[in-house]
Amino acid sequence: MGSLTEENYIKSIYALSEATGEVYVSELAKKLDVKLPSVNSMVKRLATKKLVAYAPYKGIKLTEKGKKEALAIIRKHRLAELFLVKVMGLGWEEVHDIAEQLEHVNSSRFYERIDELLNSPKFDPHGEPIPDSNGKIHTQKRTSLIDLAEGLTATITAVTEDEKSFLDHLNAKGLQIGDAVTIKKRELFDGSITLQHKSKKEILLTHQVAERIWVEMTVTRS
Amino acid sequence: MGSLTEENYIKSIYALSEATGEVYVSELAKKLDVKLPSVNSMVKRLATKKLVAYAPYKGIKLTEKGKKEALAIIRKHRLAELFLVKVMGLGWEEVHDIAEQLEHVNSSRFYERIDELLNSPKFDPHGEPIPDSNGKIHTQKRTSLIDLAEGLTATITAVTEDEKSFLDHLNAKGLQIGDAVTIKKRELFDGSITLQHKSKKEILLTHQVAERIWVEMTVTRS
DNA sequence: ATAAAATGTTAGATGCCTCTAATATTTTAA
DNA sequence: TTAAAATATTAGAGGCATCTAACATTTTAT
Ligand SMILES: [Mn+2]
Ligand SMILES: [Mn+2]
Ligand SMILES: [Mn+2]
Ligand SMILES: [Mn+2]
């Protein structure tokens, strides 16, 4: 295992490569909030350790070894988040920051027990899939709320952010994973969406918020 | 809060000062398994930060600020250990190493919840007192097994080590905190002790082991 | 009072991780 | 095809935490 810093680089490279394919040194610098030369030298170190392959102007790519390490850290992060919610009773909006620390705990026993206590869970509290202990991850195809036509009903399965401010916002709106929602109105002007919620309340979401919410279409029978 | 390294220095200084009064740079070096000059420069840094007062050849002393920080870390360590045993179902012999990592987690929510779930516990799984959130700690006067006369009965309240090998040894002997034991025989030659245990078995302990076990005299009525 | 033992310091270096300032290369767009 | 934009590198430095090698001071025991 590498240092804490190294682990955070690997994790960020993985996340960015999922989102955008290539990862540029400059992107990584922005994500990690460090300056370019810092990233440059770390990427060299990671390349020496065969954790990444790097070609300037072409981007950084994790090697198999790097990918495996990334998935191990993500597994620990997500297991920790779910544990904090299910076993310790914390809110889904407050677990990410703690998991950022717990993901670096080096103890197979600790994570074995968490996995057992949660009965080998498949999803974290934000609907993100938890890689299994071999690093296998089930990526689902996802539909965003903004891609749903008026009148359709769907179930919220995940959100793409675990930043506290975003989750606080959803809490305030009364939205949770598992909730069924119907698209009442889509505004052409600003992309905002009005939902009909099980609570009978109508909920207005801006485009910015709605696009971060993933849903699964509710099966409709004739 | 300081760095992880700094926290470990503070904690070790506290532990050594409990055991021996003064703490010499050389002692600390041995305990932390680093060389003298490393300790020398760190102690200077800690002194700059007003965490310790240091006089060469006289020893290192924690300031009030340093003591407060030490107790906060010890509190987190011991809460974590008990949590790992009581909530997560790990054995008392395997929790110390994990707690060494968890004690550095920076999250008041995390430790608040642990404290609540455990109902503000007073002792860790090895019988060590848990400082309260203000750093107040209840130090008990302790009697070692080796100071008990033949024929007396006492209850095991704590052990002075949480090293795995020592606890594995006690597990193998079938001894736990809370067990009542009677001194059957004390050997003059090597200081070893034979116990009568609730399990009806007789247990032989070397001096080295017995001196690390604390007991409370069982009240005897006439 | 002196020598021995215990305790501590300085100098100089290294690895990790970061920075600013200056410069370089590659890609893309006019 | 050249200029602009995007991307990246080098040089030189600093803080933290560690080391080895050499040297220094204080305490203690004789
Ligand atoms: Mn998270
Ligand atoms: Mn999550
Ligand atoms: Mn411990
Ligand atoms: Mn303990």
Side-chain angles (χ1 to χ4, degrees), chain A residues 12-190:
Chain A
S12 290
I13 293 168
Y14 182 90
L16 288 174
S17 71
E18 286 298 279
T20 71
E22 287 93 41
V23 181
Y24 296 108
V25 171
S26 44
E27 273 183 288
L28 194 48
K30 199 192 280 180
K31 169 120 177 167
L32 289 166
D33 197 28
V34 294
K35 302 300 178 189
L36 268 177
S38 308
V39 175
N40 188 260
S41 51
M42 179 56 102
V43 167
K44 282 179 190 168
R45 272 201 292 277
L46 295 175
T48 305
K49 295 190 177 184
K50 306 283 186 200
L51 289 164
V52 305
Y54 176 50
Y57 308 95
K58 300 298 178 191
I60 308 161
K61 285 192 66 167
L62 289 176
T63 61
E64 275 312 306
K65 188 180 165 200
K67 215 170 287 178
K68 205 170 160 183
E69 191 169 317
L71 286 162
I73 301 164
I74 290 167
R75 172 174 165 78
K76 292 197 283 180
H77 181 100
R78 294 182 181 166
L79 278 176
E81 284 188 344
L82 193 66
F83 179 81
L84 291 166
V85 169
K86 292 286 187 197
V87 176
M88 295 190 61
L90 293 168
W92 74 335
E93 78 287 353
E94 55 185 347
V95 296
H96 174 76
D97 289 348
I98 304 175
E100 285 288 315
Q101 300 180 61
L102 294 181
E103 74 191 8
H104 303 291
V105 167
N106 177 12
S107 166
S108 44
R109 280 296 282 140
F110 184 61
Y111 280 101
E112 265 170 36
R113 280 304 291 149
I114 288 183
D115 189 56
E116 280 169 30
L117 288 168
L118 296 172
N119 206 14
S120 294
K122 299 286 173 281
F123 299 95
D124 88 357
H126 313 102
E128 298 287 350
I130 300 174
D132 72 20
S133 54
N134 299 312
K136 200 151 287 174
I137 191 170
H138 235 51
T139 42
Q140 326 105 87
K141 58 177 181 326
R142 293 174 152 183
T143 311
S144 166
L145 252 192
I146 53 171
D147 296 322
L148 241 55
E150 284 182 2
L152 292 180
T153 296
T155 303
I156 298 175
T157 55
V159 296
T160 49
E161 293 260 3
D162 45 20
E163 219 180 85
K164 184 164 188 308
S165 56
F166 174 68
L167 298 170
D168 280 343
H169 183 71
L170 295 188
N171 283 343
K173 297 273 180 184
L175 290 174
Q176 295 181 39
I177 286 190
D179 284 4
V181 292
T182 304
I183 312 291
K184 222 57 195 176
K185 182 102 187 80
R186 296 172 44 134
E187 291 293 342
L188 291 175
F189 179 66
D190 61 3

Side-chain angles (χ1 to χ4, degrees), chain B residues 25-26 40 44 54 57:
Chain B
V25 171
S26 45
N40 188 260
K44 282 179 189 169
Y54 176 50
Y57 308 96

Side-chain angles (χ1 to χ4, degrees), chain B residues 182-222:
Chain B
T182 303
I183 311 292
K184 221 59 196 173
K185 182 103 186 79
R186 296 173 44 136
E187 291 294 342
L188 290 175
F189 179 66
D190 60 4
S192 65
I193 288 176
T194 307
L195 300 175
Q196 181 69 52
H197 186 240
K198 59 167 183 186
S199 66
K200 299 279 176 182
K201 274 184 300 209
E202 288 204 341
I203 297 175
L204 181 90
L205 299 179
T206 62
H207 185 85
Q208 194 193 147
V209 169
E211 73 178 347
R212 289 169 164 74
I213 299 176
W214 303 114
V215 296
E216 193 169 83
M217 293 288 297
T218 300
V219 181
T220 44
R221 294 156 201 273
S222 53

